[in-house]
Amino acid sequence: MEANGLIYTHDELEAEYDKLLAIAEKKGASTWQMRVKQQTPHCKFGEDGVCCRICSMGPCRITKKAPRGICGCDAHGIVGRNYLRFTAGGSATHSDHGREIAHTLYCASRDGAYHVKDEAKLISIATRWGIETEGRDIYDVAHDVALAGLEEYGKVFGYQNWIKDATPERQKVWIEQEIAPRAVDREVSKALHMTHMGCSSLPEALIRQSLRCGLSDGWGGSMTGTQFSDIMFGTPMPIDTEANLGVLKKDYVNIIVHGHDPSLSEMIVEYAEDKELVALAHEVGAKGINIAGVCCTSNEVAMRHGIPMAGNFLQQENCVLTGAVEAVVVDVQCIFPALGPLSKCFHTKFITTSDTARMPDSDFIKFEAETAAENAYNIVKMAVENFKNRDQEAVYIPDMKRKATVGYSCEAIIKQLDTVTNSQVDETGTYQPLIDCITSGVLRGAVAMVGCNNPKVRSDHGHIDLMKKLLKNDIILVLSGCSAQAAAKYGLMSKDANEICGDGLKRVCTLADIPPVLHMGSCVDISRMMNLVCDVAAQWGIDTPQLPVVGCAPEWMSEKAVSIGNYVVATGIDTFLGVVPYVYGSSEVTELLTNGIRDWVGAAYTFETDIEKLGDLMIERIEEKRAALGI
Ligand code: MSK
């Protein structure tokens, strides 16, 4: 172990994961590791993005001998169209999550299941959006803000309301470049229309719409998801938790919450403490009910309640393989359909709850905001009653977990920084201490590391190896999504991780009493990072591309990640990917993404599958930005 046994090494964790794989093999259960072997090598046409199945004349595949599809579209048009469709899938998905949250806020009431917890945030948004607040009931204001949020999805004229929170320079760039996001649904529809047979095949137009569609996610749907969740469930503040499979408890009913939408997980967490259900757990022989999270649902409930994190994306099957899980309760996104058949090899109930994510071999209990309490009660009850079916002899819970401090919203970061410079923390906190640390060189810069796991990169190695390298180089990290859980599992979200940082970063973290890797939430919460960079740039008096800050997704895999990448780049932040999107079949699209778009938005992508080199390139870019600023 590193840092006096406080940070796990890859070998230590992988030895335990291998034991779970052996259990799977014994049971004849399918795991992602087996399926990866069956699916590789991958189709080269697909990898290069040169397979077109947009109409039924094909599918067409571009080769040297056949350089155009039947309609005459070349590789550049096909790759560009595929990239835009990929983006549209991600933008639609994140944004629909935001729409569900807006609907939940619309249902909030004083005596209902959902309440307003952060009144100040609600009033602030209402005021910015021109909604009357003076002398009104807070729930009437919440209702109007939710409705306004829902209307953003189909607004007839103008741009997304949220873009007014970006710097004036960014807004100007977006409008001039014709990528300022209009109605969320319009940008997704436009993307699908542009890529229909016989529409756009010009790479420049397709990539421009990819940025616009991404922006409608980050500065539209995702922002709605984040901000409205904070209103209802509370703006995250630092809280202690634990991470990795060792958070499961042998004597308890274990319920895994997995997916993304906190409307469900918040209620499950609440009902795990319901007296009647706890009594039922005792009746069936358990000591109580233990909730643990997977993927971004985990981030949501960890940062607001300290609920432990069982793991990230490629850990979802491991949870079931312990034999200790009574129910995996899922809502939407990043849920392996494999959980259905896998749970059948154990006593685990696989409970689906959303009509957006219906899967075979699951128990479906429809969860709706209007009937949330009743639905949550039934779900927890089903899990508790399943405890008696567990084979205790066969349970194997790896004894591995690490402490983590999570929940660094922008508000929390400001508050924490203020404790360093001001004895009195008030509403007027600023990012000035952070800027001072960067300009003085104590901190060299910051990296926003986000994204999934992908079997193309050895699981978590990309995240962890990069994090360690950056920390040694005095670069502070803000994390979200499955990258955040990777850090937490290894111990990098603990203040103990300060031991492996460079001297400057170590000093700052000790003074501010923070870990060097700051947890900012789930994948929709990358919108928080956009607020952070815009507010820091505004306070510094520079534009976002000048900041010594880069974005990185070393192990990304989903359409959402590409949508995110597009809005991060369009917000002026250079973005480094450890997995290459399906674009190498077109030199023109590749050139646009890695270079050409810099002329439009001041930032671009870097693709590099060698993680060591990826880290070097990120550090190099941060140092270039420092040199350009003369610091
Ligand atoms: S859950 S999108 S695997 S970060 Fe948001 Fe993790 Fe990626 Fe899903």
Side-chain angles (χ1 to χ4, degrees), residues 155-193:
K155 78 193 296 182
V156 184
F157 299 111
Y159 305 121
Q160 285 295 294
N161 269 342
W162 295 116
I163 71 166
K164 293 178 203 142
D165 295 343
T167 58
E169 292 87 350
R170 275 300 98 186
Q171 293 176 56
K172 189 165 173 274
V173 164
W174 294 339
I175 291 167
E176 279 175 5
Q177 291 298 327
E178 298 185 13
I179 58 170
R182 301 159 295 187
V184 176
D185 292 346
R186 178 175 179 184
E187 299 307 356
V188 174
S189 294
K190 183 69 153 183
L192 294 180
H193 186 176

Side-chain angles (χ1 to χ4, degrees), residues 115-125 225-239 266 299-300 302-305 406-415 431 519-521 525 528 531:
H115 305 111
V116 170
K117 269 199 188 154
D118 191 337
E119 287 193 18
K121 188 163 269 190
L122 172 65
I123 298 293
S124 164
I125 293 168
T226 294
Q227 301 293 333
F228 287 11
S229 292
D230 284 358
I231 290 172
M232 283 185 287
F233 310 126
T235 298
M237 285 290 150
I239 187 167
E266 283 280 328
N299 289 315
E300 297 279 359
M303 67 184 172
R304 295 199 177 91
H305 303 282
V406 298
Y408 289 93
S409 57
C410 296
E411 292 85 343
I413 292 174
I414 288 182
K415 200 169 172 187
Y431 290 113
H519 177 279
M520 288 195 86
D525 291 334
R528 291 187 204 280
N531 287 142

Side-chain angles (χ1 to χ4, degrees), residues 400-601:
M400 53 185 193
K401 61 179 175 183
R402 280 289 169 264
K403 287 188 180 133
T405 306
V406 298
Y408 289 93
S409 57
C410 296
E411 292 85 343
I413 292 174
I414 288 182
K415 200 169 172 187
Q416 202 84 25
L417 289 173
D418 260 7
T419 57
V420 181
T421 45
N422 302 324
S423 50
Q424 282 241 279
V425 177
D426 58 26
E427 300 284 292
T428 58
T430 71
Y431 290 113
Q432 197 55 49
L434 177 63
I435 297 169
D436 291 344
C437 287
I438 295 175
T439 49
S440 68
V442 183
L443 294 184
R444 304 306 294 173
V447 168
M449 199 181 295
V450 303
C452 329
N453 298 124
N454 185 326
K456 285 181 179 167
V457 181
R458 200 161 165 195
S459 184
D460 290 339
H461 285 228
H463 294 293
I464 300 299
D465 296 349
L466 267 181
M467 284 178 212
K468 287 182 181 170
K469 185 180 179 103
L470 296 167
L471 296 180
K472 277 195 190 92
N473 282 278
D474 290 323
I475 292 168
I476 194 163
L477 295 166
V478 289
L479 264 59
S480 78
C482 290
S483 184
Q485 288 152 359
K489 286 193 304 181
Y490 276 73
L492 293 176
M493 280 191 171
S494 148
K495 289 168 198 164
D496 299 325
N498 293 346
E499 291 306 312
I500 63 162
C501 299
D503 289 345
L505 178 57
K506 187 174 172 180
R507 198 147 19 109
V508 171
C509 292
T510 309
L511 259 175
D513 192 27
I514 53 173
V517 177
L518 298 177
H519 177 279
M520 288 195 86
S522 66
C523 37
V524 291
D525 291 334
I526 296 165
S527 57
R528 291 187 204 280
M529 297 175 179
M530 297 304 95
N531 287 142
L532 179 69
V533 291
C534 282
D535 292 350
V536 169
Q539 187 156 2
W540 195 327
I542 57 180
D543 195 9
T544 45
Q546 294 173 274
L547 289 170
V549 171
V550 301
C552 172
E555 303 184 28
W556 72 275
M557 61 84 202
S558 73
E559 290 172 320
K560 289 182 290 174
V562 168
S563 177
I564 292 166
N566 289 337
Y567 74 69
V568 173
V569 165
T571 304
I573 306 300
D574 282 315
T575 296
F576 292 71
L577 302 182
V579 175
V580 183
Y582 302 138
V583 296
Y584 273 176
S586 163
S587 54
E588 287 182 24
V589 171
T590 304
E591 153 64 21
L592 270 172
L593 292 173
T594 56
N595 189 32
I597 55 174
R598 191 176 296 283
D599 291 340
W600 308 347
V601 294

